[in-house]
Amino acid sequence: MNASEFRRRGKEMVDYVADYLEGIEGRQVFPDVDPGYLRPLIPTTAPQEPETFEAIIEDVEKIIMPGAASPACTELETVMMDWLGKMLQLPEAFLAGEAGEGGGVIQGTASEATLVALLAARTKVTRRLQAASPELTQAAIMEKLVAYASDQAHSSVEKAGLIGGVRLKAIPSDGKFAMRASALQEALERDKAAGLIPFFVVATLGTTSCCSFDNLLEVGPICHKEGLWLHVDAAYAGSAFICPEFRHLLNGVEFADSFNFNPHKWLLVNFDCSAMWVKRTDLTGAFRLDPVYLRHSHQDSGLITDYRHWQLPLGRRFRSLKMWFVFRMYGVKGLQAYIRKHVQLSHAFEALVRQDTRFEICAEVILGLVCFRLKGSNKLNEALLESINSAKKIHLVPCSLRDRFVLRFAICSRTVELAHVQLAWEHIQEMAATVLRAQGEEKAEIKN
Amino acid sequence: MNASEFRRRGKEMVDYVADYLEGIEGRQVFPDVDPGYLRPLIPTTAPQEPETFEAIIEDVEKIIMPGAASPACTELETVMMDWLGKMLQLPEAFLAGEAGEGGGVIQGTASEATLVALLAARTKVTRRLQAASPELTQAAIMEKLVAYASDQAHSSVEKAGLIGGVRLKAIPSDGKFAMRASALQEALERDKAAGLIPFFVVATLGTTSCCSFDNLLEVGPICHKEGLWLHVDAAYAGSAFICPEFRHLLNGVEFADSFNFNPHKWLLVNFDCSAMWVKRTDLTGAFRLDPVYLRHSHQDSGLITDYRHWQLPLGRRFRSLKMWFVFRMYGVKGLQAYIRKHVQLSHAFEALVRQDTRFEICAEVILGLVCFRLKGSNKLNEALLESINSAKKIHLVPCSLRDRFVLRFAICSRTVELAHVQLAWEHIQEMAATVLRAQGEEKAEIKN
């Protein structure tokens, strides 16, 4: 949607809200619909081609408003998570399908998804061990629990470990910054021999630092064999899996117990919207509490999904509306085109870097992130970053890869074009020339 | 703001956003401002009288836009939390004031605030005990930790205990559904004698079921003496404390380590916006992690507040803008008038109930909630609720008070007037008459 259509549609929405406010006394305080009313009114998959804004707004009035906040908020979320799961070709076990329970849930951020998965895994292993040895206390078990993630995993995984009160061990990644079978297996054997209890593994697809991919086809079977909860964090990269040519990066997800990525990162849905799927399992057991003021007549019917048992907060926003609008306005093809364009642009940037022998590429370019640096010291590259970010024409966030200070060029704006990438590269080259000249002069001074 | 002004202002905002999108290439990617730029540009307290929408929008362009998302998002939040803290007459120790660190933070929900407080308390007590006895493991400590809350506390407190992996004990409330010194002290003594380690107390001001208030002036000094972290949860009632005549309900907050209420519940700020204050203490110690990609040049300057260490997620929304708009458009006086009107209306409803001898009031009416029931069995009141909610003219949520099924009449709509309350009461009376008649016929049948 361009700015001029945004003006028109935005104003229509303002009128829609004002009309609602003016007519609110004429509306019923509680909907007439029965649980499950929404699914049959909506297609089972996202449209391939874009739809018109009018068509969507018409459906808001026809499908959402009669279901008010509840159950429409819950039911649209379940259906949208199925749409998205199908776009990604997730295994059936992650989808809600026709059944009432299960499927996906919208969390706020990947941090929360990882924490929820860790807590569910902790509950599951604790119950299993206590069923076998009723004398074991929760604390006695927690003392021995170990979670694992690659040394490239996001800091939120460590945070989840801190909050959950369990130790987290970093598995050394390989030369491509990926977690592999051998390193994980080695850690598991060592810890089990020491009397510890491995219970949870986070595999990252598209790490924050350099967008590397843990080897899910190796890690998955180990988790399966050892009975460990496998959570797959694809916060950034997940959006790309809607393109058939990138779907292979998700192979092995069939071994996972939970999977998460953030449509708010790269799928045009505004922050926050973190999509999490859990295989039909006892996720909800970790949080289930039912005071009278939260009970309802469909409590144990199996007809509805009580998302409050799926998350940390109790209250929820109607975030699936954002997905519904975006998926329909772009269509699957439009979203795929958007991802492809970004990946092409990052490869275009990569090609520019490779043409300049003063620079090097520091990690394989797979999606929209290019890790690069000047050949030379960390100090030199820190100076380059400083000069780029001080000029404020573009902004780069660095990372550290095996103690090397690395610059990260991320394609992530909705309106980015090749011309922007070229301008940015020319600007980086200019800054590099200045930094290299200063370094040369410094060296010359030292010699003199 | 009425619907017709909303139409006008809403459309102006749409144009503002569209103009921004169209002019985005002319803007700098990174702001020129230094940390701490915002506070001097904004008054130190909320205005008493309403301001115009134009004045606020002008300030958005002048004060917020030059600070972009960062640091404006963080700094406005700190200042707004100070504004709100001062409206509530919170003790100085909860405010950020002129110093760079500390003060308040916006969480999503009270559930998250309680969890964050519990985790911070857990970290603090663990460090203290490990400093004294380095051989103690975290698990050995956690096994003995005990948190406390009244038996009227919200289910989210129990959820926080489950997530934090510590046991939570319910303190029996008194005849007014309040936690008192004697019951808490008794539990503490018993648990300490059993070798357990009390560490955390949640006091509730305005319980969910019946809006009762724990006795903070009794509970506070005990927590202080025993070195327990006291968290005060006033999720609903907190908004009322901006009125001097209700401020006494908050007396004793000076003993608290953290305090929380939800402006999204009763202060006209849209969901979600849960305001949490923490005394300058080691809250952030519980979550502090600093990977390279999150480091910044003001990291250890003391000039800025890194809210990511104050919460569960990493990403944040710019929720303080909602507070800024609401506080200025209503002014403190407008907000006070709003609260007072609701409290008056609940007393008006209470008076109507008391005039009808078939009904009884079940808990003292202090703010906007009236707990009432038909004199008679739970079954009778369940039937009444069912008939009311089936008619769908009004909607009531029940609760259980000492095993009595109770109906809750909550004043909570922005546009509620006395006429609505009167209509609702007439409707309830009609429903009651029907239910009582049915019960009478049933009894007659049984006799026959």
Side-chain angles (χ1 to χ4, degrees):
Chain A
M1 187 183 278
N2 60 24
S4 92
E5 195 187 355
F6 178 83
R7 277 182 216 278
R8 188 154 64 95
R9 300 310 188 185
K11 289 170 189 176
E12 288 171 10
M13 283 305 296
V14 168
D15 278 327
Y16 187 86
V17 173
D19 290 346
Y20 173 82
L21 290 174
E22 286 180 331
I24 200 164
E25 298 220 14
R27 290 190 182 252
Q28 214 169 254
V29 297
F30 203 80
D32 275 330
V33 301
D34 287 320
Y37 86 100
L38 186 136
R39 183 180 293 272
L41 303 177
I42 286 185
T44 55
T45 55
Q48 289 295 309
E49 305 290 341
E51 296 185 56
T52 63
F53 192 80
E54 282 89 348
I56 306 171
I57 284 293
E58 225 172 78
D59 279 351
V60 169
E61 191 56 37
K62 213 171 62 191
I63 298 174
I64 303 302
M65 295 309 274
S70 176
C73 176
T74 293
E75 297 192 4
L76 186 66
E77 184 161 329
T78 306
V79 178
M80 285 305 104
M81 291 299 293
D82 265 13
W83 276 21
L84 186 54
K86 287 174 187 171
M87 282 191 232
L88 268 66
Q89 298 176 49
L90 282 186
E92 276 291 327
F94 286 108
L95 305 180
E98 299 303 316
E101 288 248 8
V105 59
I106 302 175
Q107 306 280 357
T109 62
S111 304
E112 288 155 274
T114 304
L115 175 58
V116 165
L118 180 139
L119 295 171
R122 193 186 73 182
T123 302
K124 194 177 178 182
V125 69
T126 302
R127 289 192 185 155
R128 196 183 64 210
L129 293 171
Q130 285 181 331
S133 315
E135 75 287 357
L136 280 175
T137 64
Q138 188 188 1
I141 293 169
M142 277 174 65
E143 181 152 41
K144 296 188 173 167
L145 294 182
V146 192
Y148 304 85
S150 134
D151 57 16
Q152 298 299 310
H154 190 263
S155 58
S156 56
V157 179
E158 198 177 337
K159 195 169 176 177
L162 284 176
I163 292 170
V166 297
R167 76 188 84 188
L168 175 82
K169 296 202 174 178
I171 304 296
S173 55
D174 73 359
K176 287 184 148 189
F177 308 103
M179 177 160 63
R180 303 291 301 274
S182 53
L184 176 62
Q185 192 74 61
E186 202 181 302
L188 294 176
E189 296 310 327
R190 198 181 46 234
D191 288 343
K192 285 192 293 181
L196 298 174
I197 306 170
F199 80 110
F200 185 65
V201 174
V202 177
T204 310
L205 301 182
T207 59
T208 307
S209 290
C210 68
C211 199
S212 61
F213 289 75
D214 288 341
N215 193 321
L216 212 50
L217 287 169
E218 288 186 6
V219 166
I222 295 177
C223 295
H224 187 75
K225 190 186 68 185
E226 304 271 350
L228 313 178
W229 183 297
L230 174 60
H231 176 68
V232 174
D233 173 13
Y236 160 70
S239 299
F241 307 154
I242 66 166
C243 299
E245 68 271 33
F246 299 124
R247 174 55 177 78
H248 68 95
L249 295 166
L250 186 58
N251 287 349
V253 73
E254 54 277 14
F255 297 108
D257 297 279
S258 51
F259 167 69
N260 164 258
F261 85 97
N262 294 350
H264 68 233
K265 275 212 164 70
W266 198 15
L267 210 58
L268 291 155
V269 180
N270 279 344
F271 185 79
D272 53 3
C273 178
S274 183
M276 180 189 195
W277 290 265
V278 183
K279 268 192 192 155
R280 277 169 219 133
T281 175
D282 45 1
L283 170 68
T284 63
F287 309 131
R288 190 180 283 278
L289 294 166
D290 286 309
V292 171
Y293 48 81
L294 295 177
R295 264 178 225 156
H296 49 77
S297 52
H298 304 290
Q299 187 92 355
D300 303 307
S301 65
L303 280 173
I304 66 144
T305 302
D306 251 347
Y307 277 130
R308 65 191 158 99
H309 300 309
W310 293 56
Q311 59 174 22
L312 305 175
L314 174 59
R316 318 194 79 232
R317 284 165 289 132
F318 204 151
R319 292 175 290 200
S320 59
L321 279 175
K322 298 190 288 196
M323 298 168 82
W324 202 37
F325 272 72
V326 168
F327 296 164
R328 297 179 66 180
M329 292 200 66
Y330 281 83
V332 175
K333 286 185 183 171
L335 294 170
Q336 288 170 337
Y338 178 73
I339 297 284
R340 284 173 184 140
K341 181 175 181 178
H342 279 198
V343 178
Q344 274 163 13
L345 290 177
S346 78
H347 283 301
F349 183 83
E350 178 192 12
L352 292 168
V353 176
R354 289 197 189 276
Q355 279 162 30
D356 187 330
T357 56
R358 298 171 299 176
F359 287 90
E360 59 186 328
I361 295 288
C362 307
E364 188 185 356
V365 177
I366 300 176
L367 298 175
L369 178 72
V370 183
C371 287
F372 70 107
R373 70 199 303 271
L374 277 169
K375 291 170 184 165
S377 67
N378 280 353
K379 205 180 136 203
L380 179 70
N381 281 286
E382 283 166 21
L384 175 59
L385 181 80
E386 166 69 21
S387 72
I388 291 170
N389 284 348
S390 301
K392 297 179 184 176
K393 284 191 161 185
I394 65 173
H395 189 78
L396 301 185
V397 174
C399 73
S400 174
L401 287 178
R402 308 259 186 266
D403 294 327
R404 298 208 313 169
F405 188 86
V406 169
L407 281 64
R408 296 162 66 261
F409 189 87
I411 305 280
C412 53
S413 164
R414 186 174 62 90
T415 53
V416 64
E417 297 290 344
L418 182 59
H420 297 115
V421 172
Q422 286 165 335
L423 271 174
W425 174 241
E426 283 164 26
H427 179 63
I428 292 168
Q429 282 183 310
E430 281 169 32
M431 295 289 124
T434 313
V435 168
L436 287 166
R437 202 178 312 123
Q439 192 202 38
E441 285 162 8
E442 206 175 290
K443 278 192 184 152
E445 270 176 39
I446 291 167
K447 272 192 194 155
N448 294 345
Chain B
M1 186 182 279
N2 59 25
S4 93
E5 195 186 356
F6 178 82
R7 277 182 216 277
R8 186 153 67 93
R9 301 309 187 185
K11 289 170 188 176
E12 287 171 11
M13 284 304 298
V14 168
D15 276 327
Y16 188 86
V17 173
D19 290 347
Y20 173 82
L21 291 174
E22 285 179 331
I24 200 163
E25 298 221 11
R27 292 190 181 254
Q28 215 169 250
V29 296
F30 203 79
D32 275 330
V33 301
D34 287 322
Y37 87 100
L38 186 137
R39 183 179 293 275
L41 302 178
I42 286 186
T44 55
T45 55
Q48 288 294 309
E49 305 290 340
E51 296 184 59
T52 63
F53 192 80
E54 282 89 348
I56 307 171
I57 284 292
E58 226 172 78
D59 280 351
V60 169
E61 189 58 36
K62 213 171 63 190
I63 299 175
I64 303 302
M65 295 309 275
S70 174
C73 175
T74 293
E75 297 192 5
L76 187 65
E77 183 161 330
T78 306
V79 178
M80 285 306 104
M81 291 299 294
D82 265 13
W83 277 19
L84 186 55
K86 287 174 186 172
M87 281 190 230
L88 267 65
Q89 299 177 49
L90 281 187
E92 276 292 327
F94 285 108
L95 305 180
E98 298 304 316
E101 288 248 9
V105 60
I106 303 175
Q107 306 281 357
T109 61
S111 304
E112 287 154 274
T114 304
L115 175 59
V116 165
L118 179 139
L119 295 171
R122 193 187 73 181
T123 302
K124 195 177 178 182
V125 69
T126 303
R127 288 189 185 157
R128 196 181 66 210
L129 294 171
Q130 285 182 330
S133 315
E135 76 287 358
L136 279 175
T137 62
Q138 188 189 1
I141 293 169
M142 277 174 64
E143 181 151 42
K144 294 186 173 167
L145 294 181
V146 192
Y148 303 86
S150 132
D151 58 13
Q152 297 298 309
H154 190 263
S155 58
S156 56
V157 179
E158 196 177 340
K159 193 168 177 178
L162 284 177
I163 293 171
V166 297
R167 76 187 87 188
L168 175 83
K169 295 202 174 179
I171 304 295
S173 55
D174 74 358
K176 286 182 147 190
F177 308 103
M179 177 161 62
R180 303 291 302 274
S182 53
L184 176 62
Q185 193 74 62
E186 201 181 302
L188 294 175
E189 296 311 326
R190 196 182 47 231
D191 288 342
K192 286 194 291 182
L196 298 175
I197 306 171
F199 81 109
F200 185 65
V201 175
V202 177
T204 309
L205 301 181
T207 56
T208 307
S209 288
C210 67
C211 200
S212 61
F213 289 74
D214 287 340
N215 193 320
L216 213 48
L217 287 169
E218 287 186 6
V219 167
I222 294 177
C223 294
H224 187 74
K225 191 186 69 187
E226 304 271 349
L228 312 179
W229 183 298
L230 174 60
H231 176 68
V232 175
D233 172 12
Y236 160 70
S239 298
F241 307 153
I242 66 167
C243 298
E245 69 271 31
F246 299 123
R247 174 56 177 77
H248 69 94
L249 294 166
L250 186 59
N251 286 351
V253 73
E254 54 276 15
F255 296 108
D257 296 278
S258 51
F259 167 68
N260 162 258
F261 85 97
N262 294 351
H264 68 232
K265 275 211 165 70
W266 199 15
L267 212 59
L268 291 155
V269 179
N270 279 344
F271 184 79
D272 53 5
C273 178
S274 182
M276 180 188 193
W277 290 266
V278 183
K279 267 191 193 155
R280 278 171 217 130
T281 176
D282 46 0
L283 170 68
T284 63
F287 309 129
R288 191 179 282 278
L289 294 166
D290 286 310
V292 171
Y293 48 80
L294 294 177
R295 261 177 227 157
H296 49 78
S297 53
H298 304 289
Q299 187 92 356
D300 302 308
S301 65
L303 280 173
I304 65 142
T305 302
D306 252 346
Y307 277 129
R308 65 191 158 100
H309 300 308
W310 294 53
Q311 61 174 21
L312 305 175
L314 174 59
R316 318 194 77 233
R317 283 164 288 131
F318 204 152
R319 290 175 291 201
S320 58
L321 279 175
K322 296 189 290 195
M323 297 168 81
W324 202 36
F325 272 72
V326 168
F327 296 164
R328 295 178 67 180
M329 292 201 64
Y330 280 84
V332 174
K333 287 184 185 170
L335 295 170
Q336 288 170 336
Y338 178 72
I339 297 284
R340 283 174 185 138
K341 181 174 180 179
H342 279 198
V343 178
Q344 275 164 13
L345 290 178
S346 78
H347 283 302
F349 183 82
E350 179 192 9
L352 291 168
V353 176
R354 287 195 191 278
Q355 280 163 27
D356 188 329
T357 54
R358 298 171 300 176
F359 286 89
E360 60 185 328
I361 294 289
C362 309
E364 189 185 355
V365 177
I366 301 176
L367 297 175
L369 179 71
V370 182
C371 287
F372 70 107
R373 70 199 301 273
L374 278 169
K375 292 171 185 165
S377 68
N378 281 353
K379 206 182 135 201
L380 179 69
N381 281 286
E382 283 166 24
L384 175 60
L385 181 81
E386 166 69 20
S387 72
I388 292 170
N389 285 348
S390 300
K392 297 179 185 179
K393 283 192 163 186
I394 66 174
H395 189 77
L396 301 185
V397 173
C399 74
S400 173
L401 289 177
R402 308 260 186 264
D403 295 328
R404 297 209 312 169
F405 189 85
V406 169
L407 280 64
R408 295 162 67 261
F409 189 86
I411 305 281
C412 54
S413 163
R414 186 174 63 89
T415 53
V416 64
E417 297 291 345
L418 183 59
H420 297 115
V421 172
Q422 286 165 336
L423 271 175
W425 174 241
E426 284 164 27
H427 178 62
I428 292 168
Q429 282 182 310
E430 280 169 32
M431 294 290 126
T434 311
V435 169
L436 286 167
R437 202 177 313 124
Q439 193 200 36
E441 285 162 10
E442 208 175 291
K443 278 191 187 154
E445 269 177 39
I446 290 166
K447 273 192 195 159
N448 295 345

